[in-house]
């Protein structure tokens, strides 16, 4: 896959221990993406990263709702909210970018989910779909037109970031083997990953594997 290094940026979505084995919201094999991301990093001149950065009483945490369990859903003013295990707590060691991650080309680290009353999957908007993170403005002022994304989890924060980027007019590619999915069941025979893929391909988001980027 060819891309213009001057207008393309590598986006690392939530590559944090909190989403890896032993973390608060562990994604199966989430730690295995770090070496692959490090192998891909030298292919790019520019990169950015995001971090989930929640207050301890965040309304997306099941622990903030008595008698509720993780992965139940509730209705909040901005829509249906999955209740998650506590994760990405601001300032905690597991909320940091993974210690082994190559950060040499990361020019921006964006922290999201800071408002205790609104969850934030996407790198571009909080889950009310109105409150912007500021990433779009930064990318446009820097002249980036193409995003190549990786990280955790494919079907939530990566997918929502890709969807918003595509709707904002960017060319978007997901490096699928540099991601891992939570894949919660939705209807019989389908998961949140199946639904994310359908939604994204309709918007023109491409799925590739890391070998497609090799030069």
């Amino acid at each position: 896959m060819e891309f213009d290094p001057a207008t393309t940026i590598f986006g690392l979505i939530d590559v944090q221990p909190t989403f890896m084995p032993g973390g608060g919201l562990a994604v199966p094999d989430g730690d295995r993406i770090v070496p692959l991301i490090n192998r891909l990093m030298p292919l790019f001149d520019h990169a950015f990263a995001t971090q989930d950065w929640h207050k301890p009483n965040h309304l997306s945490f099941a622990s903030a709702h008595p008698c509720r369990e993780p992965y139940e859903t509730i209705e909040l003013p901005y829509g249906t909210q999955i209740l998650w295990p506590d994760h990405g707590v601001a300032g905690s060691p597991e909320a940091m970018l993974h210690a082994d991650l190559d950060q040499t080309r990361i020019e921006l680290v964006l922290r999201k989910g800071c408002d205790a009353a609104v969850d934030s999957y996407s790198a571009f908007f909080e889950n009310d779909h109105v409150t912007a993170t500021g990433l779009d403005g930064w990318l446009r002022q820097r002249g980036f037109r193409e995003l190549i994304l990786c990280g955790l989890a494919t079907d939530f924060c990566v997918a929502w970031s890709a969807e918003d980027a595509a709707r904002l007019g960017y060319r978007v590619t997901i490096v699928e083997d540099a991601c891992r999915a939570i894949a919660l069941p939705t209807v019989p025979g389908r998961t949140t990953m199946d639904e994310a893929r359908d939604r994204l391909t309709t918007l023109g988001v491409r799925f590739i594997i890391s070998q497609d980027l090799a030069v």
Side-chain angles (χ1 to χ4, degrees):
M1 172 185 162
E2 295 183 358
F3 58 86
D4 181 351
T7 59
T8 301
I9 190 163
F10 192 30
L12 283 62
I13 306 298
D14 299 355
V15 185
Q16 302 165 266
T18 198
F19 296 115
M20 299 178 183
L25 180 47
V27 179
D29 296 327
D31 54 332
R32 295 191 178 184
I33 70 172
V34 174
L36 179 52
I37 291 171
N38 288 346
R39 290 198 295 272
L40 294 176
M41 188 69 78
L43 301 177
F44 299 92
D45 291 344
H46 309 280
F48 73 89
T50 67
Q51 290 172 274
D52 253 17
W53 200 253
H54 297 313
K55 293 179 174 62
N57 61 340
H58 201 278
L59 283 185
S60 70
F61 293 170
S63 62
H65 304 272
C67 303
R68 294 285 190 169
E69 296 294 329
Y71 306 106
E72 291 185 20
T73 60
I74 62 171
E75 294 301 318
L76 291 177
Y78 55 85
T80 302
Q81 172 68 54
I82 298 173
L83 295 178
W84 301 108
D86 289 19
H87 67 279
V89 175
S92 67
E94 67 174 41
M96 304 303 173
L97 293 175
H98 193 282
D100 294 336
L101 189 66
D102 178 2
Q103 300 187 38
T104 54
R105 286 168 170 78
I106 295 176
E107 300 170 6
L108 174 75
V109 177
L110 184 143
R111 290 171 171 171
K112 57 190 179 64
C114 303
D115 185 340
V118 186
D119 207 359
S120 186
Y121 300 157
S122 171
F124 291 91
F125 294 97
E126 294 185 352
N127 285 10
D128 60 7
H129 304 289
V130 174
T131 306
T133 65
L135 179 60
D136 181 40
W138 185 85
L139 292 171
R140 290 187 190 281
Q141 287 194 321
R142 295 291 306 278
F144 296 116
R145 296 193 293 272
E146 180 170 1
L147 277 62
I148 298 178
L149 301 178
C150 64
L152 302 168
T154 327
D155 43 344
F156 284 93
C157 294
V158 176
W160 285 49
S161 299
E163 179 174 359
D164 283 342
R167 292 188 187 280
L168 289 166
Y170 296 95
R171 186 183 185 198
V172 185
T173 301
I174 293 173
V175 186
E176 195 162 13
D177 55 336
C179 303
R180 291 294 186 275
I182 297 176
L184 297 176
T186 53
V187 297
R190 286 179 63 80
T191 70
T192 47
M193 186 62 232
D194 298 315
E195 294 184 354
R197 185 185 298 276
D198 290 348
R199 190 171 73 250
L200 293 173
T201 53
T202 298
L203 290 170
V205 175
R206 297 179 300 170
F207 287 83
I208 65 169
I209 59 173
S210 56
Q211 290 180 340
D212 296 327
L213 285 171
V215 293

